Amino acid sequence: GAGVSQSPRYKVAKRGQDVALRCDPISGHVSLFWYQQALGQGPEFLTYFQNEAQLDKSGLPSDRFFAERPEGSVSTLKIQRTQQEDSAVYLCASSPTGHGYNEQFFGPGTRLTVL
Amino acid sequence: GENVEQHPSTLSVQEGDSAVIKCTYSDSASNYFPWYKQELGKRPQLIIDIRSNVGEKKDQRIAVTLNKTAKHFSLHITETQPEDSAVYFCAALDTGRRALTFGSGTRLQVQP
Protein backbone atom coordinates (compact mmCIF):
# COMPACT_ATOMS: atom_id res chain seq x y z
CA GLY A 1 0.00 0.00 0.00
CA ALA A 2 0.93 3.64 -0.24
CA GLY A 3 3.17 5.08 2.40
CA VAL A 4 3.18 8.59 3.84
CA SER A 5 3.44 11.22 1.13
CA GLN A 6 4.33 14.89 1.37
CA SER A 7 4.11 17.78 -1.03
CA PRO A 8 5.82 19.74 -2.30
CA ARG A 9 9.12 17.89 -2.00
CA TYR A 10 11.06 21.13 -2.37
CA LYS A 11 9.97 24.67 -1.65
CA VAL A 12 11.94 27.88 -2.07
CA ALA A 13 10.42 30.94 -0.45
CA LYS A 14 11.51 34.52 -0.16
CA ARG A 15 11.80 35.81 3.39
CA GLY A 16 8.42 37.04 4.51
CA GLN A 17 6.36 34.74 2.31
CA ASP A 18 3.81 32.29 3.68
CA VAL A 19 4.15 28.58 2.85
CA ALA A 20 1.88 25.55 3.24
CA LEU A 21 3.24 22.01 3.46
CA ARG A 22 0.97 19.02 2.98
CA CYS A 23 1.08 15.55 4.50
CA ASP A 24 -0.97 12.53 3.40
CA PRO A 25 -0.63 9.88 6.11
CA ILE A 26 -1.21 6.17 5.68
CA SER A 27 -4.96 5.60 5.44
CA GLY A 28 -6.53 4.82 8.78
CA HIS A 29 -3.59 5.95 10.88
CA VAL A 30 -4.75 7.67 14.05
CA SER A 31 -1.62 9.60 14.98
CA LEU A 32 0.14 12.20 12.88
CA PHE A 33 3.34 14.00 13.81
CA TRP A 34 5.31 16.87 12.31
CA TYR A 35 9.05 17.09 12.86
CA GLN A 36 11.66 19.63 11.74
CA GLN A 37 15.07 18.31 10.70
CA ALA A 38 17.93 20.77 10.39
CA LEU A 39 20.94 19.81 8.30
CA GLY A 40 23.04 17.18 10.06
CA GLN A 41 20.65 16.87 13.00
CA GLY A 42 17.98 14.49 14.18
CA PRO A 43 14.30 15.29 13.67
CA GLU A 44 12.79 17.57 16.31
CA PHE A 45 9.16 17.35 17.36
CA LEU A 46 6.81 20.14 16.30
CA THR A 47 3.25 18.97 16.85
CA TYR A 48 1.03 15.90 17.26
CA PHE A 49 -2.52 15.06 16.16
CA GLN A 50 -4.72 12.22 17.26
CA ASN A 51 -7.37 12.06 14.54
CA GLU A 52 -8.45 15.69 14.08
CA ALA A 53 -7.45 16.82 17.57
CA GLN A 54 -4.16 18.63 17.99
CA LEU A 55 -3.06 17.22 21.34
CA ASP A 56 0.37 18.79 21.53
CA LYS A 57 1.83 21.82 19.79
CA SER A 58 4.56 22.53 22.30
CA GLY A 59 7.34 22.04 19.73
CA LEU A 60 6.17 24.76 17.35
CA PRO A 61 8.98 27.35 17.45
CA SER A 62 6.80 30.45 17.18
CA ASP A 63 3.26 31.64 16.55
CA ARG A 64 4.16 31.88 12.87
CA PHE A 65 3.78 28.09 12.72
CA PHE A 66 0.30 26.61 12.49
CA ALA A 67 -0.85 23.05 11.77
CA GLU A 68 -4.24 21.51 11.13
CA ARG A 69 -5.82 18.15 10.34
CA PRO A 70 -9.48 19.06 9.99
CA GLU A 71 -10.89 15.68 8.92
CA GLY A 72 -8.45 13.45 10.71
CA SER A 73 -6.51 12.48 7.60
CA VAL A 74 -4.55 15.02 5.52
CA SER A 75 -2.58 17.58 7.51
CA THR A 76 -1.15 20.95 6.56
CA LEU A 77 1.70 22.78 8.26
CA LYS A 78 1.63 26.49 7.54
CA ILE A 79 4.47 28.89 8.18
CA GLN A 80 3.70 32.58 8.00
CA ARG A 81 6.24 35.32 7.26
CA THR A 82 9.05 32.81 6.70
CA GLN A 83 12.50 33.56 8.11
CA GLN A 84 15.88 32.15 7.08
CA GLU A 85 16.03 30.09 10.28
CA ASP A 86 12.94 28.21 9.09
CA SER A 87 15.05 26.54 6.39
CA ALA A 88 14.99 22.81 7.14
CA VAL A 89 13.40 19.55 6.08
CA TYR A 90 9.89 19.17 7.46
CA LEU A 91 8.99 15.53 8.07
CA CYS A 92 5.54 14.13 8.64
CA ALA A 93 5.02 10.75 10.29
CA SER A 94 1.94 8.67 11.00
CA SER A 95 1.25 5.79 13.34
CA PRO A 96 -1.69 3.37 13.48
CA THR A 97 -2.62 3.92 17.12
CA GLY A 98 -2.84 6.74 19.61
CA HIS A 99 -0.63 5.34 22.34
CA GLY A 100 2.76 6.00 20.77
CA TYR A 101 4.32 2.56 21.14
CA ASN A 102 4.10 1.73 17.47
CA GLU A 103 6.38 2.41 14.54
CA GLN A 104 6.11 5.91 13.17
CA PHE A 105 6.14 5.82 9.38
CA PHE A 106 7.86 8.84 7.89
CA GLY A 107 7.17 10.69 4.70
CA PRO A 108 9.99 11.81 2.37
CA GLY A 109 9.90 15.33 3.78
CA THR A 110 9.62 18.80 2.31
CA ARG A 111 12.91 20.68 2.02
CA LEU A 112 12.17 24.35 2.68
CA THR A 113 14.75 26.94 1.70
CA VAL A 114 14.09 30.54 2.71
CA LEU A 115 16.15 33.10 0.84
CA GLY B 1 11.08 16.54 28.70
CA GLU B 2 13.21 13.77 27.29
CA ASN B 3 16.84 14.32 26.23
CA VAL B 4 18.71 11.75 24.11
CA GLU B 5 22.47 11.77 23.55
CA GLN B 6 24.10 9.65 20.85
CA HIS B 7 27.71 8.62 20.24
CA PRO B 8 29.79 8.51 18.15
CA SER B 9 28.78 11.13 15.60
CA THR B 10 30.77 9.35 12.88
CA LEU B 11 31.92 5.76 12.61
CA SER B 12 34.01 4.16 9.90
CA VAL B 13 34.45 0.38 9.76
CA GLN B 14 35.76 -2.17 7.32
CA GLU B 15 33.27 -4.40 5.55
CA GLY B 16 32.61 -7.46 7.70
CA ASP B 17 33.45 -5.74 10.99
CA SER B 18 30.91 -4.91 13.68
CA ALA B 19 29.57 -1.43 14.47
CA VAL B 20 28.19 -0.24 17.80
CA ILE B 21 26.27 2.99 18.41
CA LYS B 22 25.34 4.09 21.93
CA CYS B 23 22.59 6.33 23.28
CA THR B 24 21.59 7.60 26.68
CA TYR B 25 18.26 9.08 27.71
CA SER B 26 17.13 11.19 30.62
CA ASP B 27 13.49 10.33 31.36
CA SER B 28 13.20 7.13 33.38
CA ALA B 29 9.53 6.89 32.34
CA SER B 30 10.47 6.34 28.67
CA ASN B 31 9.67 2.80 27.59
CA TYR B 32 9.96 2.61 23.81
CA PHE B 33 13.26 2.97 21.93
CA PRO B 34 13.35 2.75 18.12
CA TRP B 35 16.32 3.02 15.79
CA TYR B 36 15.97 4.65 12.39
CA LYS B 37 18.23 4.50 9.34
CA GLN B 38 18.29 7.49 7.02
CA GLU B 39 20.07 7.41 3.69
CA LEU B 40 21.06 10.69 2.10
CA GLY B 41 17.98 12.61 0.96
CA LYS B 42 15.63 9.82 2.01
CA ARG B 43 13.07 9.35 4.75
CA PRO B 44 14.01 7.80 8.12
CA GLN B 45 13.10 4.11 8.19
CA LEU B 46 12.70 1.95 11.27
CA ILE B 47 15.25 -0.85 11.49
CA ILE B 48 14.59 -2.19 14.97
CA ASP B 49 12.87 -1.14 18.18
CA ILE B 50 12.78 -2.31 21.78
CA ARG B 51 10.34 -1.87 24.62
CA SER B 52 11.39 -1.61 28.21
CA ASN B 53 10.07 -5.00 29.22
CA VAL B 54 12.95 -6.69 27.36
CA GLY B 55 16.70 -6.22 27.59
CA GLU B 56 17.75 -7.33 24.15
CA LYS B 57 16.23 -7.86 20.71
CA LYS B 58 17.83 -9.26 17.59
CA ASP B 59 16.87 -9.26 13.93
CA GLN B 60 19.40 -11.00 11.68
CA ARG B 61 22.56 -8.83 11.71
CA ILE B 62 21.04 -6.11 13.89
CA ALA B 63 20.58 -6.18 17.66
CA VAL B 64 19.60 -3.64 20.28
CA THR B 65 20.32 -3.82 24.00
CA LEU B 66 18.64 -1.78 26.72
CA ASN B 67 19.84 -1.06 30.25
CA LYS B 68 16.98 0.71 32.03
CA THR B 69 18.92 1.16 35.25
CA ALA B 70 21.70 3.04 33.51
CA LYS B 71 19.28 4.61 30.98
CA HIS B 72 21.24 3.63 27.95
CA PHE B 73 20.65 1.54 24.86
CA SER B 74 22.88 0.44 22.01
CA LEU B 75 22.64 -0.68 18.40
CA HIS B 76 24.89 -3.49 17.22
CA ILE B 77 25.39 -4.29 13.54
CA THR B 78 27.44 -7.39 12.75
CA GLU B 79 29.06 -8.39 9.44
CA THR B 80 28.65 -4.86 8.10
CA GLN B 81 28.11 -4.34 4.38
CA PRO B 82 28.57 -1.23 2.21
CA GLU B 83 24.78 -0.85 1.98
CA ASP B 84 24.71 -0.34 5.75
CA SER B 85 26.34 3.05 5.15
CA ALA B 86 23.84 5.72 6.28
CA VAL B 87 22.98 7.94 9.22
CA TYR B 88 21.48 6.09 12.17
CA PHE B 89 19.26 7.79 14.75
CA CYS B 90 18.25 6.47 18.12
CA ALA B 91 15.09 7.76 19.73
CA ALA B 92 13.08 7.53 22.92
CA LEU B 93 9.36 7.93 23.28
CA ASP B 94 8.47 10.98 25.33
CA THR B 95 5.51 9.49 27.14
CA GLY B 96 4.10 12.90 27.89
CA ARG B 97 4.10 14.02 24.28
CA ARG B 98 3.67 10.61 22.63
CA ALA B 99 6.32 11.88 20.20
CA LEU B 100 9.87 10.68 19.67
CA THR B 101 12.93 12.51 20.92
CA PHE B 102 15.83 11.74 18.59
CA GLY B 103 19.56 11.62 19.11
CA SER B 104 21.80 13.71 16.91
CA GLY B 105 22.69 10.82 14.62
CA THR B 106 25.69 8.65 13.74
CA ARG B 107 27.08 8.65 10.23
CA LEU B 108 28.24 5.09 9.56
CA GLN B 109 30.57 4.46 6.67
CA VAL B 110 31.40 0.88 5.72
CA GLN B 111 34.56 0.66 3.66
CA PRO B 112 34.55 -2.14 1.06
Side-chain angles (χ1 to χ4, degrees):
Chain A
V4 178
S5 60
Q6 292 185 245
S7 61
R9 290 294 316 279
Y10 304 90
K11 177 70 179 178
V12 178
K14 291 184 180 178
R15 189 160 54 96
Q17 282 185 331
D18 298 349
V19 298
L21 313 180
R22 178 187 168 108
C23 172
D24 285 80
I26 294 172
S27 178
H29 275 198
V30 170
S31 295
L32 186 146
F33 304 85
W34 284 98
Y35 293 88
Q36 181 190 61
Q37 187 173 26
L39 190 63
Q41 299 296 315
E44 291 195 358
F45 169 77
L46 294 176
T47 187
Y48 163 63
F49 290 86
Q50 188 174 113
N51 298 308
E52 69 279 2
Q54 188 175 22
L55 298 188
D56 191 333
K57 55 181 181 179
S58 61
L60 296 176
S62 77
D63 59 7
R64 296 185 295 104
F65 287 70
F66 171 78
E68 60 183 4
R69 193 188 185 197
E71 297 179 358
S73 55
V74 172
S75 178
T76 304
L77 176 67
K78 297 178 179 177
I79 309 173
Q80 296 177 323
R81 304 181 303 281
T82 52
Q83 304 293 315
Q84 284 189 323
E85 60 263 29
D86 300 336
S87 296
V89 174
Y90 290 86
L91 293 165
C92 172
S94 70
S95 182
T97 67
H99 60 59
Y101 305 109
N102 288 112
E103 176 178 356
Q104 292 187 20
F105 295 82
F106 282 84
T110 294
R111 181 178 296 278
L112 173 65
T113 303
V114 182
L115 303 177
Chain B
E2 178 67 275
N3 182 52
V4 176
E5 304 221 347
Q6 183 172 347
H7 301 279
S9 57
T10 60
L11 180 59
S12 182
V13 300
Q14 290 296 124
E15 183 177 357
D17 286 351
S18 295
V20 180
I21 303 170
K22 299 183 179 182
C23 290
T24 60
Y25 62 98
S26 61
D27 185 356
S28 56
S30 292
N31 54 11
Y32 174 63
F33 307 92
W35 287 86
Y36 282 82
K37 176 183 180 182
Q38 188 174 31
E39 297 179 25
L40 190 62
K42 301 279 184 69
R43 71 188 75 195
Q45 293 198 301
L46 182 77
I47 55 171
I48 195 166
D49 57 12
I50 191 167
R51 290 170 175 79
S52 61
N53 57 343
V54 298
E56 184 173 358
K57 182 177 178 181
K58 190 172 181 181
D59 182 4
Q60 299 183 344
R61 297 186 297 109
I62 295 173
V64 57
T65 59
L66 171 64
N67 182 328
K68 283 222 74 177
T69 303
K71 290 190 283 188
H72 68 70
F73 56 114
S74 300
L75 177 72
H76 304 252
I77 306 174
T78 59
E79 300 171 26
T80 53
Q81 301 167 3
E83 52 265 38
D84 294 331
S85 296
V87 179
Y88 291 81
F89 292 99
C90 62
L93 181 68
D94 184 324
T95 53
R97 284 176 159 176
R98 281 172 280 191
L100 295 173
T101 298
F102 284 84
S104 55
T106 296
R107 182 173 300 279
L108 173 65
Q109 188 160 7
V110 180
Q111 307 284 354

